[in-house]
Amino acid sequence: PDLLKEAVRRTGGHDRELVHAALLVDGSSIQFADDALRADRWLMLAAVARDGHNLRFADPELRADAELAAAAVSVSGRALEHAAAELR
């Protein structure tokens, strides 16, 4: 599992398929994805499905997305602290 996460980190997190594969094993791999992929709603949904607290790694615009925040909170209620202020 750590090999995929490390591969994402070493490659700069630009490869969407690699990031997705890593997310399936360890949702926190999203922290090593580049900014464009942290703004990818589909990838962020996969990340918060593994751990709601991964919402903290999302692009600010996505942290204001009610559906994404709800998905994160459904996994971990305390993930709401990572949502945009207007959703708290």
Side-chain angles (χ1 to χ4, degrees):
D2 290 333
L3 293 176
L4 282 171
K5 189 177 192 177
E6 182 62 17
V8 171
R9 189 185 68 77
R10 285 182 182 227
T11 61
H14 302 292
D15 185 321
R16 188 173 193 257
E17 291 177 14
L18 178 61
V19 170
H20 183 249
L23 287 176
L24 295 176
V25 176
D26 182 348
S28 69
S29 299
I30 196 68
Q31 69 185 299
F32 300 113
D34 69 11
D35 291 343
L37 294 182
R38 289 184 193 207
D40 183 309
R41 192 169 188 277
W42 182 75
L43 284 177
M44 287 309 307
L45 280 167
V48 301
R50 301 286 296 170
D51 180 345
H53 290 282
N54 287 328
L55 183 60
R56 71 183 178 267
F57 300 120
D59 179 81
E61 187 173 314
L62 284 182
R63 288 198 306 267
D65 180 304
E67 186 180 341
L68 183 65
V73 170
S74 74
V75 174
S76 175
R78 299 196 74 187
L80 187 60
E81 69 187 78
H82 305 297
E86 61 266 21
L87 297 178
R88 289 187 229 146

